[in-house]
Amino acid sequence: MEKNIEKVLVTEEQIQSKVAEFAEILSAEYADKDPVFVGVLKGVVVFFADVVRKITVPCEIDFMCLSSYGGTDSTGNVTVKKDLSVDIKGRHVVILEDIYDTGNSLSFLHKYLLSKEPASLKICTLLDKPERRKSDIKADYAGTFVPNEFVVGYGLDYAEYYRNLPFIGVLKESVYENNN
Ligand code: 5GP
Ligand code: MG
């Protein structure tokens, strides 16, 4: 698996230091707010599990699954494949995301969750890839900048593989050519 990596963009240590930083900030900010952390499947699972295990205050967790149509350069047609199971009306909600790229999915999700009337809604993303941005939604807590390259690892996939790498990297061209 690692032989297919061209370069590492964010090391395991750098990721874990961001995770610790986010968990500390969120624990302080939401200490008496009984927050709900909402993860967007599947890419967020590794980041999500690491962050919530370091949160030191009472919280609930929930997940959504979105699908977007229109190929890789999504036209913004996002639909809900799996909805929340917690009622977030009047609750303090934080969306956790793996990567904020074009923003199509986050802007959809932000609007969708606001329609459920939470007391507050914030966004925390591990990776920020601003070059293809089409949305003006602000990430309240944004982690590491990544250039406009397709990244894998730490939850992020290529054709459903590489999610279990502990770092964020870029694949060799040959992987796409051979489709493995
Ligand atoms: P959006 O373009 O709507 O901001 O991002 C939607 C989703 O596309 C992200 O949550 C993520 O799952 C996926 N995505 C965006 N950029 C990348 C990338 O560089 N690599 C991988 N594996 N997935 C990405
Ligand atoms: Mg995602």
Side-chain angles (χ1 to χ4, degrees):
M1 199 169 52
E2 305 209 4
K3 72 178 187 333
N4 291 338
I5 300 295
E6 173 77 38
K7 61 185 174 205
V8 175
L9 289 184
V10 194
T11 65
E12 186 171 1
E13 291 72 26
Q14 288 168 327
I15 293 171
Q16 290 309 326
S17 121
K18 266 294 158 206
V19 164
E21 193 187 311
F22 282 145
E24 194 181 332
I25 293 170
L26 292 170
S27 297
E29 191 133 327
Y30 290 88
D32 300 308
K33 292 192 173 144
D34 190 20
V36 185
F37 294 107
V38 173
V40 188
L41 297 172
K42 300 178 198 173
V44 85
V45 288
V46 183
F47 174 54
F48 194 95
D50 279 353
V51 171
V52 297
R53 276 181 297 177
K54 287 195 154 61
I55 298 277
T56 55
V57 301
C59 63
E60 283 189 61
I61 66 170
D62 205 353
F63 297 95
M64 288 195 61
C65 190
L66 305 176
S67 67
S68 70
Y69 297 101
T72 44
D73 249 333
S74 168
T75 48
N77 295 318
V78 183
T79 58
V80 175
K81 270 170 83 178
K82 183 225 166 287
D83 207 341
L84 295 176
S85 55
V86 174
D87 181 6
I88 60 164
K89 187 170 180 169
R91 301 289 301 275
H92 293 281
V93 177
V94 183
I95 300 170
L96 294 186
E97 252 288 32
D98 46 5
I99 185 165
Y100 185 14
D101 183 16
T102 66
N104 285 334
S105 51
L106 265 181
S107 57
F108 169 87
L109 189 64
H110 194 258
K111 211 162 133 196
Y112 183 78
L113 294 183
L114 278 184
S115 75
K116 295 179 184 269
E117 300 177 31
S120 69
L121 180 61
K122 287 198 174 182
I123 295 170
C124 173
T125 181
L126 175 65
L127 302 176
D128 188 7
K129 188 160 89 174
E131 279 171 51
R132 307 198 307 152
R133 193 85 88 236
K134 292 187 211 149
S135 124
D136 53 10
I137 298 274
K138 177 173 137 280
D140 303 277
Y141 313 100
T144 308
F145 166 87
V146 285
N148 188 14
E149 290 190 82
F150 190 79
V151 297
V152 298
Y154 200 66
L156 290 153
D157 72 308
Y158 167 59
E160 294 299 331
Y161 286 87
Y162 303 101
R163 294 190 195 274
N164 52 326
L165 289 172
F167 54 80
I168 302 283
V170 177
L171 292 171
K172 290 181 180 159
E173 272 302 321
S174 58
V175 176
Y176 302 111
E177 284 152 18
N178 303 331
N179 203 23
N180 66 10

